[in-house]
Structures are given as structure tokens and as C-alpha cells.
Amino acid sequence: MKDIIIVCAGCYGMEVYSVISEINRIAMKKGENPPYNILGFIDDNSCDLMLEYGIKEKVIGSIHGWNPIGNEVYAIGAAKPQLKETLTNLLKKNGCKFETIIAPWSIVSPNCIIGEGCFITAYTISSGVKLGNFVNINGSMICSGAQIDDYSTTTGFAVIEDAHICKKVFVGSHAVIKSGVVVGADANISVGSMIISDVKPGTLMFGVPAAEIG
Amino acid sequence: MKDIIIISSGFFGVQVFDLIAEINEKHMRDMGEMKYRVKGFLTDSEKEISIFSRFASYLGDWKCWSPSEEEVYALGIVDPKKKEEVVQYLTAKNAKFETLIGPRALIPTNIVYGQGCILNPYCLKDNSVIGSYVTMWATMAAEIEIGNYTSTMGFANITDAFIGEKSLVEHHGFIAVGNSMGNSAVLRACSLAVRNIRDNSIVTGVPARKEKSEYSMYK
């Protein structure tokens, strides 16, 4: 059994918490030992999770100045690419190890490469997909040949064909990124947008087909 | 166990490869043996070879291929025109195309479908009639009629629609209830069709309007 600490106790931290709890529950149902022991959360804003979400685990410390307490691993409970980068850099400097968590109900092909600290809740990841470190896939469809670089996040029902998503890109719900497209670093793809041509780094795209709006 | 060969174009060949692995896994659980043995893949695109050859062996270009009696074929192609080209070429040489149905798909037993379909929809309801060589991927559909060679992609919603031959509904395409789509038409990704889509037209946007540009599947 691995000890695990969730970084950030916001809404997204709760999602990570529920996926880890569910992994434990499924293992127990099969008669196996639960793979994780949740020690608690670390967050800079202390809050009472029992009051807010009805969770018995507590916020056990703040992220700034946090040092590993033993052999525990960490799961990142933030979805914003820039925030993920700042927090993971901070914690990795102090020697924290990040765990990749894949929800058991998601369909992940054995023939894909997944980096450290990734979090995959659902839906499908095909053969030949390359995910960097600290990538979040929250219910998206990633088709074969796609490459998603470090710190990027894709959300519900997004479809990524064989495109290249650079670092720190946020892909909103129901967005579709077509074959052969390169989405530049720090770009933000809004909900329901269709991306058919390359996206410049740092831009905000919206519409069908998507245009630059900021 | 059947030998199967995937004809691949674009990213979709590998998706079909994953689907076959899933079908095999279920067959293994239920019957204790695999259903298909992937012999390899055929393609005419260079890019495809570099990705796909990591999982299955490359057998050559489909244009130079002569099928044998022992194997069946799976269509790993989305583009309807390309599908028609491949099917006509290979069926003339007596190739048999296999219908693959995803084990996770919610499909009733009484739907009618032709040969060579790749059916992995999210959900398909009763009274649906599906032609031959149709590809449906993670699509929501009820009481529909789909013509030959048509493809519908991920998260498309085509409830209660009539779709002609050689048409394409891309990811997240939505045809509002009661509307129909003609032959060789394209509903582009993330678009919402509130009127009937005419033959040979390409429509985009919310609500969908006719696009003047020539359609190409790949950049």
C-alpha cells in the first residue's frame, strides 16, 4: 500500500480524491488490498473539508515549504496548466515524487507512453499516444498519433486527433482538434471550438471554426 | 480464430486495431480463445507506417495487394470516398470485409446492418437501419437510417435522422431531431445542423452554414 498526499484541496483536488477512493474500493471489492492510503491534502489555504465536502481527511500543511515526510507519493489536484507547473516545480525541488493515476474505468491502450504525475479520469486513450509529465485527461478521447506535452489539460468530451499539443495548453470541453494541427505552448482552447489550423503560442481560441479572440 | 487485415488511412487504423484488441479480450473471457489474429495492415500513407508499424506488421500498399480466401478485412478509414475506393478495388479481388461491433457499445440485437461496418457507437436504438461499410464511433443514435460508406465520429448526435450515402459527420456534429442529410455531404466538427443538409454540401458552425471551401479530411 502506498501513502499518498493530494496537492490542492479545491474542487479538482476532490475529483482526484474521489478517483483514488474509487480505485481503493474496486480493489477491495475484488478481494485485494487497497493500493493507496490517503494521508490528506496540502494546500496554502487551510479549509475544513469535513464541513465543505464531508471528507474526513484533513489539510495537513501548506504547499510552500512542504517537505516529504517519508516514502509517500503525491497526486496533483489542480487542472490549470500554469498552476500545475509552479506547484510541481516547487515540490519536486524538495524531493516529492508524483504518481500517475489512471481511473480503472477509462480505456487506456497498453501501447501508449504516459509520463509522471499524469491524471486520467476517462474516456479513451488509443495506441501510439504520447503524454508528457503532469498531463490531465478528464474524459477526453485521444486518438492514435496524438502527442500532448507537459502540464497540458484536456477536459470533458474533447477530441484530439493525431495533433501535437505543446506545453501548458488548456483544452476546454467539447473542443475538437483535427489531424495534423500543432497547438502552441500556453494556448487556451475554449469550449466547443473546432481547431483546423495551427494555433500560435499563448492565444485564446474560440468558435466553429475557431478564431483568435485574445 | 480468423486472420484479419486492417486497411488504414489517417489515425483511424490504430483505433480499429484497439477495437479488435478489445473484442479479443471479451472473447477470451467468454469463450477462452481470441476471435481475431491481426495479420498486419495495408496503407498508402507514409505517416501511417511510422505509427502503426510499432503495433502490427506493414504488409504493403492496398493497391498492390492480392487478397486470399483465408483472411478478412477491416476498414480503418474515416473518409467515405476513400472507403468506397478501397472497397471497390478489393471486393473486385474477392476480399471479404468483416463487421466489427464494439463490446462496450449499447446495441440492441434487432438492428439491421450490412457488411464491412465498424460499429462502436456509444448507443444505438431499435428500428435503426445501417448500410454497408458504415463507420460509427462513439455516436449517439436512435431510429436512424444510414446509407453505405457513411462515417459518424466521436460524440456525434444523430438521433432520429436520415443520412444518405458517402456522408461524413465529424466529432461533436449534431443533427437536430427530424432533419436529414443528403449524399456525399459533410457536417464538420462541433457544428449544429438545424435544417436539412443537401447533397454534396459542406456545412460548418452553430447553426451550420454552407462552406465554400473544398473539404479535406487532413491538413
Side-chain angles (χ1 to χ4, degrees), chain B residues 138-142 153-161 169-170 172-177 187:
Chain B
T139 301
M140 183 85 176
M153 298 307 292
F155 309 114
N157 187 340
I158 49 171
T159 306
D160 205 3
V169 179
E170 289 193 344
H172 285 288
F174 178 33
I175 302 178
V177 174
L187 176 62

Side-chain angles (χ1 to χ4, degrees), chain A residues 138-143 153-161 163 165 169-178 183 188-196 199 205-210, chain B residues 154-155 170-173 188-191:
Chain A
N138 304 313
S140 314
M141 190 162 141
I142 316 292
C143 301
T153 297
T154 70
T155 55
F157 306 109
V159 179
I160 320 277
E161 289 186 357
I165 313 276
V169 173
F170 187 86
V171 181
S173 307
H174 295 268
V176 175
I177 297 173
K178 299 288 291 175
V183 179
N188 200 335
I189 313 296
S190 301
V191 285
S193 303
M194 171 173 77
I195 307 292
I196 47 174
V199 174
M205 304 293 287
F206 179 67
V208 181
Chain B
F155 309 114
E170 289 193 344
H171 304 282
H172 285 288
R188 299 216 64 178
C190 299
S191 301

Side-chain angles (χ1 to χ4, degrees), chain B residues 57-219:
Chain B
S57 50
Y58 171 56
L59 302 174
D61 194 333
W62 54 269
K63 280 178 197 138
C64 322
W65 183 252
S66 38
S68 80
E69 291 253 311
E70 287 93 52
E71 72 237 355
V72 289
Y73 292 81
L75 275 173
I77 304 172
V78 178
D79 190 352
K81 290 201 177 95
K82 183 102 186 203
K83 269 201 279 191
E84 190 190 23
E85 197 188 334
V86 171
V87 167
Q88 284 183 348
Y89 186 84
L90 287 174
T91 44
K93 291 184 171 181
N94 295 328
K96 273 179 273 161
F97 284 88
E98 184 83 347
T99 292
L100 300 176
I101 297 182
R104 278 174 300 124
L106 306 167
I107 300 185
T109 47
N110 61 352
I111 61 152
V112 181
Y113 54 81
Q115 58 173 326
C117 295
I118 308 290
L119 301 177
N120 194 15
Y122 171 64
C123 175
L124 194 60
K125 286 274 171 60
D126 295 359
N127 308 325
S128 296
V129 181
I130 291 166
S132 296
Y133 314 110
V134 169
T135 307
M136 294 181 83
W137 202 259
T139 301
M140 183 85 176
E143 299 193 14
I144 45 154
E145 239 182 282
I146 297 184
N148 300 340
Y149 303 110
T150 291
S151 299
T152 67
M153 298 307 292
F155 309 114
N157 187 340
I158 49 171
T159 306
D160 205 3
F162 172 86
I163 300 179
E165 290 187 2
K166 285 178 262 175
S167 287
L168 172 63
V169 179
E170 289 193 344
H171 304 282
H172 285 288
F174 178 33
I175 302 178
V177 174
N179 289 303
S180 64
M181 189 170 183
N183 300 325
S184 306
V186 179
L187 176 62
R188 299 216 64 178
C190 299
S191 301
L192 164 65
V194 288
R195 295 203 191 96
N196 293 342
I197 302 168
R198 292 202 191 131
D199 292 356
N200 305 312
S201 59
I202 300 157
V203 294
T204 321
V206 182
R209 285 175 208 283
K210 204 169 168 186
E211 202 178 292
K212 283 194 187 106
S213 62
E214 188 92 339
Y215 178 76
S216 96
M217 272 251 3
Y218 306 103
K219 208 186 132 231

